[in-house]
Amino acid sequence: MADADITAASADWQAWQESWDRQQEWYLPDREERFRIMLDMVEALVGTAPRVLDLACGTGSITARLLARFPDATSTGVDLDPALLAIAEGTFAGDDRVRLVAADLKDPHWPAHLPYDSYDAVLTATALHWLHREPLADLYGQVAGLVRAGGVFMNADHMIDETTPRINAAERAQRHTRMEQAKRDGILDWAEWWQLAAKDPVLAGPTARRYEIYGEHADGDTPSPGWHARVLREKGFGEARPVWCSPSDTLLLAVK
């Protein structure tokens, strides 16, 4: 085994997963609740042994919770980020229920890289807000082509209703006050987490490559839940509506 392989094999992938979770929870204190509702809806609509596409999977947060709750499920994780995929690959190494695919969701041919033509459920969380409306609508059309009849798509993300500016401002102010206190208590933010990854002997190379691809974090659009539901119906889903929300985020469910 090469030295790099030995280093990767000895990395504490669970520690990296937990570190990622803590960093994400700084922004999303109700993160586990949205995952719970997401899996509740998977069970309700497609059962306990689904074939799942974990879209923009990152470290595999959804996949890990899916398999812990539904041991007979299978998951295909797709992402472009080399560092987050490295953590996912280390976490799920040897688990034949998981396939990981490196692909760019803005490439119209990305579905050709997947191991299956159809899925019972396509799930994503806190990832697609970096897309603007037009490419996101295009992606929704591709997702509709991957979900089987009766299958589901769920997206949990920032979805902002611009018709309620005072509510939005009050929520944002309260959320940032809480985040600032957590920061004083030692929680790592996005930038600090990536600085830590860049210093790690296993993740330094993948982290450098991810910055070549993405640069700094850049947001796209955060349209309202109504926009998401309308576009999903236009792209081929029969029903679409929110099934959970917080003051800033929504879990939008669409059924094919």
Side-chain angles (χ1 to χ4, degrees):
M1 183 180 289
D3 289 345
D5 294 334
I6 293 171
T7 302
S10 62
D12 190 342
W13 299 116
Q14 187 57 41
W16 276 111
Q17 288 283 3
E18 292 173 1
S19 174
W20 177 257
D21 284 345
R22 299 295 83 74
Q23 179 258 127
Q24 288 288 287
E25 287 166 359
W26 182 62
Y27 299 93
L28 307 164
D30 44 28
R31 185 168 177 256
E32 292 302 326
E33 178 71 2
R34 74 191 62 197
F35 288 145
R36 183 183 69 79
I37 299 298
M38 179 181 281
L39 296 181
D40 281 351
M41 293 297 97
V42 167
E43 182 173 4
L45 286 157
V46 297
T48 59
R51 176 190 292 171
V52 170
L53 175 60
D54 186 348
L55 192 69
C57 66
T59 67
S61 297
I62 291 174
T63 293
R65 288 155 180 80
L66 172 80
L67 298 180
R69 178 161 169 176
F70 307 128
D72 294 328
T74 59
S75 180
T76 301
V78 59
D79 207 300
L80 185 61
D81 190 310
L84 299 185
L85 278 175
I87 295 172
E89 288 164 357
T91 299
F92 301 108
D95 191 334
D96 59 10
R97 298 172 297 176
V98 180
R99 301 277 293 275
L100 295 168
V101 175
D104 185 351
L105 297 181
K106 291 186 285 187
D107 177 352
H109 304 294
W110 70 267
H113 298 283
L114 301 177
Y116 303 108
D117 294 330
S118 69
Y119 290 85
D120 300 308
V122 178
L123 309 177
T124 188
T126 325
L128 301 188
H129 59 269
W130 50 266
L131 290 175
H132 292 283
R133 280 173 172 81
E134 184 174 345
L136 180 56
D138 291 341
L139 179 64
Y140 279 173
Q142 292 174 308
V143 168
L146 290 167
V147 175
R148 67 160 173 83
V152 301
F153 168 68
M154 279 182 269
N155 178 16
D157 210 343
H158 309 308
M159 299 183 190
I160 306 302
D161 187 341
E162 295 178 355
T163 67
T164 58
R166 288 182 295 169
I167 295 172
N168 299 347
E171 180 281 323
R172 186 178 186 278
Q174 183 185 54
R175 175 162 42 91
H176 279 263
T177 297
R178 173 189 55 77
M179 290 169 67
E180 288 165 7
Q181 181 57 56
K183 191 78 162 54
R184 289 192 289 271
D185 292 339
I187 294 292
L188 296 177
D189 64 17
W190 172 269
E192 290 167 332
W193 191 91
W194 281 108
Q195 290 167 8
L196 196 65
K199 296 175 182 177
D200 183 86
V202 176
L203 293 178
T207 298
R209 291 195 296 275
R210 72 93 53 196
Y211 275 99
E212 291 172 3
I213 295 169
Y214 294 110
E216 295 297 329
H217 186 276
D219 285 335
D221 295 330
T222 55
S224 70
W227 181 93
H228 288 271
R230 175 180 59 80
V231 171
L232 285 164
R233 288 192 294 268
E234 289 172 353
K235 294 298 182 178
F237 287 92
E239 300 178 10
R241 72 165 176 87
V243 291
W244 173 92
C245 71
S246 72
S248 63
D249 286 32
T250 296
L251 172 58
L252 203 295
L253 165 62
V255 180
K256 183 77 173 288

